Amino acid sequence: MSGSLSQLNLELVAASQVRDEAAEFALVRDSGRVRLAVAAADGARGVLGAFEGDASSGVLVGPLSARNAAALRSRLEWLRPRPLGTRTSAGLGDRLGLATPGHVRAVRAVGGKIAPIFPQQSIREMARTQRTPTEVMDDATWGLFGEGWKGGTGADADHLKTTEDIDATLPVGFTMFTIDPSAHVDSGADEDDLATLAAKVAALPWKELEDGEAALRQRYVGRSFAVEHLKVAFDEAVVLRAAAKYGKAVSHVAKMSRHLLKMAGVRPVELEVSVDETDTPTTPAEHYWVASELRRLGVAWVSLAPRFVGRFEKGVDYIGDLGELETDIAAHAAIARHFGPYKLSLHSGSDKFSVYPIAARLAKGLVHLKTAGTSYLEALRTIAALDPACFRAIYAFARERYDTDKATYHVSAELARAPLAADVPEADLPGLLEHFHAREILHVTFGSVLKETGPDGKPRFKDRFFELLRNNPEAYADNLERHFIKHLKPFVG
Ligand SMILES: [Zn+2]
């Protein structure tokens, strides 16, 4: 006997309803909880075997579990992440696991011209939010499925630092691997004299670099290379500085890339190189040097995130001279076209509204926008409207945590310049999300907010936080959609 979803006495989530040759699938609401329903076509009951749940009525109704997410991905190919290549793309990171529906609506609203990455989280943020790579993937799967998104997605295992990070994310189905060699970047080289640089270069891992100092000098010193409008010139100091600063990082990326390709086997994967989280900017000559050396070592990548001039702080607009940034992006984009073409990747891309039109124009579509924390801030905006007291308590706690939590982020907010929680009238609470100092304070403390326990040992904010968002999914999705349209529109031209 086979079943049909219409025979269920449960409310169907209409957007999720979909069928393939063997079954019908949908999300259903079952006394306040969302569940998966699968109805097999005649003679195809075997389909249900991959899913878990109660199938005694003829239709399987089961939990939004890892097994059911994996079974759905294996049946419905549009739920399976794929490499995106050099298409204009945006990564919409979701630390809470509830943002994908709003992200999907924003991508739809701008016309679906941007290749989206819904599952995206850095190893650091996974640790901070106590989520596993599988949970990151599955939360996105349920969001895509619930919204009926068939436009495909990439999946970015972000800021991977070790081969173990690759091993933890590759089997889960991630397709984009962002290699972060920043621990191997020597930003101090910017200030070194020639003798110090020479000593650093002599100590590089030459064997791993499949190179020698004399050969390096021969390839670069005294030479200049034409790249579109640029002339990238290398004198001895420029070469030694680039090699001292990035030599170990190049070797590390090559090692990570080889490991990834070996472990991936025939599975298609793509690589991003990110050196954005370093203390000093990547000069165009250094970008040229890194790209040229990675290519010499046989590394292939689809995008690269330089550390641009000025400050890309979390969750706020660009800080610095936009004219200088424009010149910088133009140079990096030209180098990316020259060696790839590959995309320029804008990390810490949340809320950089003054940068988007510049980057979109100069990169000519070869651009990847990466955002993460701003979706958490939209969750806070949602909570501020639904439960002002809860939001006020979170903000007061965030102020207490800020000086500790800011250590691993590039932020410049000052506690003294953010209002005290008790001083803000209720009607002005959402306005804290537009206040530079309050906004950064709220942004970098998310891990502490979610982890903090009260005297009873229970989470102090987390349960209420998730309860509010889960019970008001439309309110959160509306805020995300509105906010992300502003992020994506400049890139659709
Ligand atoms: Zn980054």
Side-chain angles (χ1 to χ4, degrees):
M1 185 198 98
S2 65
S4 135
L5 291 182
S6 54
Q7 83 187 53
L8 281 178
N9 205 8
L10 298 169
E11 183 199 342
L12 295 179
V13 176
S16 69
Q17 227 175 322
V18 69
R19 61 167 72 236
D20 68 4
E21 64 289 349
E24 268 185 284
F25 310 86
L27 294 181
V28 294
R29 278 187 238 283
D30 181 4
S31 45
R33 277 190 309 168
V34 180
R35 308 186 39 95
L36 171 69
V38 185
D42 284 335
R45 252 187 94 78
V47 169
L48 301 183
F51 294 87
E52 62 183 342
D54 178 2
S56 55
S57 70
V59 175
L60 178 138
V61 177
L64 304 193
S65 62
R67 178 170 160 190
N68 283 344
L72 261 192
R73 283 193 297 270
S74 75
R75 284 220 67 88
L76 306 175
E77 59 91 15
W78 56 87
L79 296 179
R80 290 199 288 278
R82 59 185 85 159
L84 302 176
T86 51
R87 295 165 62 196
T88 306
S89 51
L92 308 168
D94 171 18
R95 290 168 178 166
L96 305 171
L98 297 172
T100 298
H103 291 163
V104 167
R105 292 177 197 188
V107 171
R108 268 204 182 116
V110 300
K113 284 183 197 148
I114 290 189
I117 292 183
F118 298 111
Q120 170 211 295
Q121 195 150 4
S122 68
I123 289 285
R124 175 180 67 195
E125 310 305 352
M126 285 187 211
R128 239 168 224 166
T129 52
Q130 298 169 296
R131 297 170 81 207
T132 63
T134 303
E135 287 170 314
V136 171
M137 183 64 72
D138 292 351
D139 288 335
T141 296
W142 293 119
L144 295 177
F145 178 65
E147 292 294 310
W149 175 256
K150 293 185 185 171
T153 182
D156 181 1
D158 196 12
H159 280 283
L160 307 184
K161 302 200 172 192
T162 64
T163 54
E164 287 78 19
D165 294 342
I166 292 173
D167 297 340
T169 47
L170 180 67
V172 176
F174 284 85
T175 50
M176 172 173 168
F177 296 80
T178 298
I179 309 303
D180 173 3
S182 57
H184 307 271
V185 174
D186 181 355
S187 289
D190 277 22
E191 303 297 323
D192 289 337
D193 59 24
L194 211 52
T196 310
L197 291 174
K200 284 183 174 176
V201 167
L204 284 177
W206 289 109
K207 194 162 162 268
E208 279 110 88
L209 287 166
E210 300 169 22
D211 198 16
E213 209 181 320
L216 172 80
R217 284 173 179 272
Q218 204 170 26
R219 284 200 304 282
Y220 294 99
V221 175
R223 298 186 64 183
S224 83
F225 304 91
V227 180
E228 298 184 10
H229 66 291
L230 296 175
K231 208 178 93 188
V232 185
F234 289 90
D235 61 16
E236 187 182 22
V238 171
V239 178
L240 294 185
R241 186 161 285 121
K245 187 171 172 184
Y246 290 108
K248 285 183 187 155
V250 162
S251 156
H252 184 69
V253 170
K255 183 179 121 189
M256 294 282 278
S257 166
R258 281 194 285 267
H259 182 80
L260 172 65
L261 295 178
K262 186 178 110 199
M263 301 312 284
V266 296
R267 255 183 62 191
V269 291
E270 59 193 2
L271 194 106
E272 171 165 307
V273 179
S274 76
V275 290
D276 62 300
E277 294 199 359
T278 55
D279 295 333
T280 59
T282 313
T283 66
E286 287 165 355
H287 180 172
Y288 185 100
W289 187 85
V290 167
S292 171
E293 292 302 295
L294 284 173
R295 220 162 76 153
R296 182 179 60 78
L297 289 166
V299 178
W301 63 99
V302 291
S303 47
L304 184 144
R307 158 74 156 84
F308 294 104
V309 295
R311 302 212 307 272
F312 280 67
E313 297 194 359
K314 299 289 180 184
V316 295
D317 206 342
Y318 178 71
I319 302 170
D321 182 328
L322 278 174
E324 265 175 52
L325 179 69
E326 182 158 349
T327 307
D328 199 39
I329 292 180
H332 288 296
I335 292 163
R337 283 190 290 269
H338 177 78
F339 281 106
Y342 51 83
K343 294 183 275 194
L344 270 194
S345 185
L346 302 178
H347 280 226
S348 301
S350 296
D351 307 283
K352 302 296 177 293
F353 298 113
S354 63
V355 175
Y356 303 150
I358 298 172
R361 171 167 49 84
L362 296 173
K364 300 179 185 168
L366 283 166
V367 61
H368 177 64
L369 173 68
K370 196 174 300 206
T371 80
T374 204
S375 295
Y376 169 76
L377 292 173
E378 289 308 306
L380 288 180
R381 188 190 305 282
T382 310
I383 287 168
L386 295 168
D387 184 348
C390 175
F391 176 71
R392 190 190 298 280
I394 289 172
Y395 175 61
F397 173 73
R399 285 186 92 268
E400 287 165 30
R401 288 292 315 177
Y402 177 65
D403 277 334
T404 310
D405 289 357
K406 70 180 182 186
T408 52
Y409 292 99
H410 294 279
V411 284
S412 59
E414 293 166 46
L415 211 45
R417 298 175 70 179
L420 289 170
D423 293 349
V424 184
E426 192 168 303
D428 296 346
L429 285 172
L432 288 173
L433 288 156
E434 320 311 330
H435 185 287
F436 175 86
H437 299 275
R439 190 169 168 86
E440 286 200 334
I441 288 167
L442 287 165
H443 188 294
V444 301
T445 49
F446 77 93
S448 298
V449 167
L450 297 178
K451 255 187 222 162
E452 179 70 0
T453 49
D456 55 359
K458 291 191 183 137
R460 195 170 149 206
F461 306 109
K462 190 179 180 183
D463 294 349
R464 178 69 181 147
F465 192 105
F466 277 95
E467 184 192 3
L468 285 164
L469 296 175
R470 286 213 173 91
N471 291 342
N472 300 275
E474 291 301 315
Y476 187 31
D478 282 350
N479 281 332
L480 287 166
E481 180 180 357
R482 182 189 40 74
H483 193 55
F484 275 96
I485 286 173
K486 289 193 285 177
H487 283 73
L488 301 177
K489 240 193 173 145
F491 294 96
V492 296

